[in-house]
Amino acid sequence: MSFPLLSPAEAASIVSHDMTVGFSGFTPAGSPKAVPGALAEKALAEHAAGRPFKIGVVTGASTGASLDGALAKADAMKFRTPYMGNADLRKAINSGKVEYFDMHLSQLQQTLRSGALGDIDVAVIE
């Protein structure tokens, strides 16, 4: 199966409010950088137009400012799992703006396969 290469804006255009997005990478060095920024811009534009835009975010581990920070600052996350270590996201979680499900990284695959987190609608592999 072949998947097209998309620009960050094209990739962000596929993502809709209330989707769950799986992001590739592991730690800030390996996590996506361009697409989360485009999603944050999309969220800000949607919010300015009076429309909701929040997504669920699932990753393999921590990501950093380019993903967790950008989406938290744009108020674009409805939930996050399994792990995070970003100050902006921590503030959003502690204030109740983002739901957070903390689990051991080794539990993520089994939890996803069981359906407990719902379906992954889109995967961003950057």
Side-chain angles (χ1 to χ4, degrees):
M1 181 177 281
S2 176
F3 296 97
L5 295 177
L6 304 174
S7 73
E10 289 170 329
S13 74
I14 294 170
V15 179
S16 301
H17 171 68
D18 218 27
M19 281 185 162
T20 298
V21 181
F23 288 92
S24 67
F26 195 93
T27 73
S31 66
K33 305 201 178 30
V35 174
L39 283 168
E41 290 176 16
K42 178 178 181 172
L44 292 172
E46 290 294 302
H47 296 159
R51 294 184 294 265
F53 187 87
K54 286 192 173 200
I55 60 172
V57 174
V58 179
T59 66
S62 63
T63 64
S66 66
L67 196 157
D68 283 338
L71 294 178
K73 287 179 184 178
D75 193 23
M77 264 195 243
K78 68 177 178 178
F79 79 86
R80 175 72 168 94
T81 197
Y83 178 84
M84 70 90 215
N86 178 268
D88 293 310
L89 180 53
R90 185 171 23 266
K91 288 176 191 172
I93 291 166
N94 288 336
S95 69
K97 291 182 176 182
V98 177
E99 294 180 12
Y100 180 59
F101 181 35
D102 188 14
M103 70 171 85
H104 192 276
L105 301 178
S106 67
Q107 300 294 313
L108 180 62
Q109 297 83 358
Q110 180 179 339
T111 304
L112 283 170
R113 286 186 181 125
S114 76
L117 297 175
D119 293 330
I120 300 289
D121 297 299
V122 175
V124 174
I125 302 166
E126 182 180 311

